[in-house]
Amino acid sequence: MLQSIQAAPHGLGLADLLALHPEWARRSAQRVLNSWLAQGRIAAQGQGRARRYRAGSPEGQGAVMGLAGPDGVVGERFLRGLALSADSRDVLAYVDQPLELRRPVGYQRDFLESYQPNKSWYLSDSLRRQLHQMGRTSAIAAPAGTYSRAILNRLLIDLSWASSHLEGNTYSRLDTRDLIERGKVAQGKAAIETQMILNHKTAIEMLVDNADRAALDRYTLMNLHSALAENLLPNPADEGRLRCHAVDISQSVYRPLSTPQLIDEMLDALLHKVNLIGDSFEQSFFLMVHLPYLQPFADINKRTSRLAANLPLFRANLCPLTFLDVPEQAYSCAMLGVYEMTRIELLRDLYVWAYERSCHEYLALRQELAEPDPLRLSWRDFIRQVIREVVQNPDEDPLHRIRKATAQSVPEHERDNVQALLIEELRRLHVGVLARYGLRPSEFSMWRAAHPD
């Protein structure tokens, strides 16, 4: 495919390339093209369907992807401004080698078993203090999940877009906002990309909605994977279930466990240890390391780990980790260091850099954010239940059902205010928030048809 691009004086579009190389899946081709763009081996002109790829500059043709210089700063092709430790440069130098020069390895049980919660630390004491200082919000003493609920609309867009982008998704941030807020599907995008964004939205809402009571256990993990995997796996039975077959890691010599009993055993050990960890950031980073390394699911392991890594931060009312501006190639190299070397240094440096970016992005938002409405917070579950019942019963008068529900469940001194909140929520209801109420678009359409005003 690279030779085809280099031989085309006027460049080739993605459709042209897929026609010339039908053995390539569209998503795989997009990943490789993005990788070559990052390396400087090719260049791109135009946007969307008009985008064409041509040969890159001569110096880019032989560029080694992202090797750090002696000053410890990764080259522009890897990630501008990321200062690496000497250990991280060692990891990067190894994973930058061609595949045939790297030694095939399997799952190393000792990597997990040797970790002792609150004694072994992936993040040093000074680094944890730095992260807590960066991520501290005004809601730090509020009930678990207060901050993530307050920024939910922004969080859904940022995290859905950035995490999907790391999987080669070509939706822009603006496209993602239109899809999440207005239900508008971007033109020229594959259905798999739209599904991926919507799955992220559902999964994030699930975590935020349950941040005050969700545990880092199998139930949460399986349901998180199920939400992210919906309609994306060849076998739907794999959604939310541990895999029972071998998997390969693309562009890696790492071979995960293939025995279901061992996968089951190591997942139990992983969850046991993560729940013993006392620090929110150490918990978060531990999940980003060990969930993908174990590969407990048939696919979508990294996506699951990125969202699961946010749950400790949601619970502690810390700034979220959105992965904004993290290049796919940088993240892939960092994960290869974990897979093939059981080395966490490169991923750790990337994690800290990415978290600082997230905090800067949310700094202005934190300053302007209004305090959550105490009444809305107190009656949150009740409001969602009533809204769901109203929509699921389109033949009934909404105001009658609202008055009946509040009369049965709300003390008289709060009844008028709760009714007003319910009416306000009902008026603001649109397709972009249906998952919050456990509603399907078809139910909402039927209700709107019955109550057009």
Side-chain angles (χ1 to χ4, degrees), residues 17-30:
L17 286 167
L18 294 176
L20 288 169
H21 301 278
E23 70 276 10
W24 281 90
R26 182 185 182 90
R27 182 178 167 196
S28 299
Q30 287 173 326

Side-chain angles (χ1 to χ4, degrees), residues 219-239:
Y219 177 83
T220 298
L221 202 60
M222 300 305 185
N223 281 275
L224 179 59
H225 179 266
S226 176
L228 287 167
E230 183 182 0
N231 205 24
L232 291 180
L233 296 181
N235 183 2
D238 287 332
E239 297 172 7

Side-chain angles (χ1 to χ4, degrees), residues 176-194:
T176 302
R177 187 183 72 183
D178 285 345
L179 178 62
I180 287 176
E181 291 185 348
R182 299 164 52 196
K184 180 182 176 184
V185 176
Q187 294 295 317
K189 302 299 182 184
I192 191 173
E193 296 185 296
T194 303

Side-chain angles (χ1 to χ4, degrees), residues 309-328:
N310 267 291
L311 183 55
L313 309 183
F314 293 166
R315 295 196 302 193
N317 288 317
L318 292 161
C319 185
L321 173 59
T322 59
F323 301 93
L324 290 170
D325 302 321
V326 175
E328 180 186 354

Side-chain angles (χ1 to χ4, degrees), residues 373 375-376 379 383 406 410-424:
D373 182 346
L375 186 68
R376 191 185 297 271
W379 291 96
I383 289 171
T406 51
V410 181
E412 187 174 355
H413 69 281
E414 291 187 322
R415 198 168 294 163
D416 289 343
N417 290 331
V418 174
Q419 284 183 11
L421 284 177
L422 282 162
I423 293 169
E424 180 186 353

